[in-house]
Amino acid sequence: MKKNIKLTLLALGCSSVFALGTLPVHAEYDPNTNTETLTNNMVSETRGNTAIGDYKSYEHPDRDLVINWTHDNNRGDGSAIRDAIVKVKNLTINTDFVGNQWDDKAVISDKKTHITATGDINITSHDDAIYTEADGTTTIDGFKNLNIKATGQAYGIVDNGKGITIKGGEGSTVKVRNMSGRPAVGNAGFFGAGKQISISSDTIDIASEGDGGVAVGASMYSANDPDKRFDVSLEGKLIKLAGEHSIQTFGNAHVAINQNTVGTVQLDGGVDVNAGSVKANMAGKGSYLKAAGTSDTEITALNVGEGGLAEFNISSDDSYILGDLSVTGASQDKKRKSQLTVNASGKNFKMSRVKGFENSLRYTGTSLVEVDYKANADL
């Protein structure tokens, strides 16, 4: 069995207005469970109105906080948490209704939001669950479990501002789900929006369950600042990404997986690098990358074009790639080659085609295809 495989493929070719309304105070505190429940109230330094039961900040680290919003909330462009400091034990936010694209988001930042929980955070929204814009930043940390679900045509986590940082406590899990063709985690980089999303947790589980879903989608095109980039960083002992594409990049966007962590990486769905880069270290046993389906359009595990760079370092035992590898084209200015590199050194590494397309691996490239075998391999 092969101990070391190095495979390199190269190709060179061608806010809206805030409406306060008139709402009664909807806040209930249960001393038996040490839980406060807000209904159609918000925690917001910039928009909160304490006269109707809102909070400017919420700092009760021993208490559970529940925020429920309904379609008749009459809060304009507010959201359950917006530009606020929140410190709790457990946090639950429910904004799962068809709203005005603002009030059915859960957490919005155009300034600064920092949420710390020592227990669980559960967020269910119809629109984007975690959203930044303009100069907004969001930090979520300390938790044991962070569960995010967006049920509409929405992102789970989207940075269109100055960055989102998520860092769990010891033994923590981050789970993100969305139901649309938008990325579960990503940005609106085709409009030059966003800066970075970083997620650090023992387990990271991100899936886009709608048609054409993308687990992590990163993009950046900025006419005013051609050097502007968007970065996604994932660090975890177990990272699972699932969708028609597990990762997809466009423009000056870059995704880095486990650059500083030894862990298992399981990618269910092809990686599509349209410019930018994807770099993944897959050191945990049982790591894999596999194409999404069995149709001719879904059998590509790794595709690189437009001068993109993909580098996969697979050092774990019993790992595999299932699907075709494809490299096509170059950057539009023809100055950057498209490059795909797979370094596999673990025992029992395998690379094969999707069932029904077993005749051979399909390496495509308009200029150069290079395969460097260091030893015998099961391919």
mmCIF file of all heavy atoms in Angstrom, residues 75 78 80 108 125 297 299 335 374:
data_model
loop_
_atom_site.group_PDB
_atom_site.id
_atom_site.type_symbol
_atom_site.label_atom_id
_atom_site.label_comp_id
_atom_site.label_asym_id
_atom_site.label_seq_id
_atom_site.Cartn_x
_atom_site.Cartn_y
_atom_site.Cartn_z
ATOM 1 N N ARG A 75 -41.558 45.910 14.801
ATOM 2 C CA ARG A 75 -40.261 46.440 15.208
ATOM 3 C C ARG A 75 -39.406 46.945 14.048
ATOM 4 O O ARG A 75 -38.211 47.173 14.202
ATOM 5 C CB ARG A 75 -39.477 45.382 15.982
ATOM 6 C CG ARG A 75 -40.149 44.853 17.242
ATOM 7 C CD ARG A 75 -40.685 45.930 18.158
ATOM 8 N NE ARG A 75 -39.690 46.873 18.625
ATOM 9 C CZ ARG A 75 -39.061 46.804 19.801
ATOM 10 N NH1 ARG A 75 -39.330 45.805 20.627
ATOM 11 N NH2 ARG A 75 -38.211 47.722 20.155
ATOM 12 N N GLY A 78 -35.556 46.212 13.386
ATOM 13 C CA GLY A 78 -34.913 45.663 14.580
ATOM 14 C C GLY A 78 -34.704 44.171 14.444
ATOM 15 O O GLY A 78 -35.077 43.540 13.463
ATOM 16 N N ALA A 80 -33.893 40.478 17.287
ATOM 17 C CA ALA A 80 -33.875 40.039 18.685
ATOM 18 C C ALA A 80 -32.650 40.567 19.427
ATOM 19 O O ALA A 80 -32.740 41.057 20.555
ATOM 20 C CB ALA A 80 -33.932 38.514 18.746
ATOM 21 N N ILE A 108 -28.282 40.846 14.381
ATOM 22 C CA ILE A 108 -27.772 41.789 13.388
ATOM 23 C C ILE A 108 -26.709 42.659 14.041
ATOM 24 O O ILE A 108 -26.861 43.082 15.187
ATOM 25 C CB ILE A 108 -28.898 42.696 12.830
ATOM 26 C CG1 ILE A 108 -29.957 41.871 12.105
ATOM 27 C CG2 ILE A 108 -28.322 43.750 11.890
ATOM 28 C CD1 ILE A 108 -31.127 42.696 11.594
ATOM 29 N N SER A 125 -34.230 30.997 12.782
ATOM 30 C CA SER A 125 -34.723 32.207 12.125
ATOM 31 C C SER A 125 -35.268 31.846 10.756
ATOM 32 O O SER A 125 -34.949 30.800 10.191
ATOM 33 C CB SER A 125 -33.593 33.239 11.982
ATOM 34 O OG SER A 125 -32.593 32.749 11.108
ATOM 35 N N THR A 297 -22.973 15.677 -13.800
ATOM 36 C CA THR A 297 -22.639 17.032 -13.341
ATOM 37 C C THR A 297 -22.262 17.068 -11.869
ATOM 38 O O THR A 297 -21.881 18.112 -11.356
ATOM 39 C CB THR A 297 -23.823 17.987 -13.576
ATOM 40 O OG1 THR A 297 -24.953 17.497 -12.850
ATOM 41 C CG2 THR A 297 -24.151 18.090 -15.048
ATOM 42 N N ILE A 299 -20.174 14.560 -10.315
ATOM 43 C CA ILE A 299 -19.177 13.540 -10.010
ATOM 44 C C ILE A 299 -17.793 14.145 -9.781
ATOM 45 O O ILE A 299 -16.831 13.412 -9.581
ATOM 46 C CB ILE A 299 -19.091 12.490 -11.131
ATOM 47 C CG1 ILE A 299 -18.636 13.133 -12.444
ATOM 48 C CG2 ILE A 299 -20.417 11.773 -11.283
ATOM 49 C CD1 ILE A 299 -18.336 12.114 -13.539
ATOM 50 N N LYS A 335 -2.241 35.607 -15.702
ATOM 51 C CA LYS A 335 -1.006 35.686 -14.929
ATOM 52 C C LYS A 335 -0.918 34.604 -13.848
ATOM 53 O O LYS A 335 0.168 34.312 -13.364
ATOM 54 C CB LYS A 335 -0.882 37.069 -14.281
ATOM 55 C CG LYS A 335 -0.679 38.200 -15.278
ATOM 56 C CD LYS A 335 -0.506 39.533 -14.554
ATOM 57 C CE LYS A 335 -0.265 40.661 -15.543
ATOM 58 N NZ LYS A 335 -0.110 41.973 -14.856
ATOM 59 N N LYS A 374 4.886 8.803 -5.584
ATOM 60 C CA LYS A 374 6.062 8.545 -4.748
ATOM 61 C C LYS A 374 6.216 7.049 -4.453
ATOM 62 O O LYS A 374 7.294 6.591 -4.123
ATOM 63 C CB LYS A 374 5.951 9.318 -3.436
ATOM 64 C CG LYS A 374 5.950 10.836 -3.624
ATOM 65 C CD LYS A 374 7.257 11.319 -4.222
ATOM 66 C CE LYS A 374 7.279 12.824 -4.281
ATOM 67 N NZ LYS A 374 8.515 13.343 -4.904
#
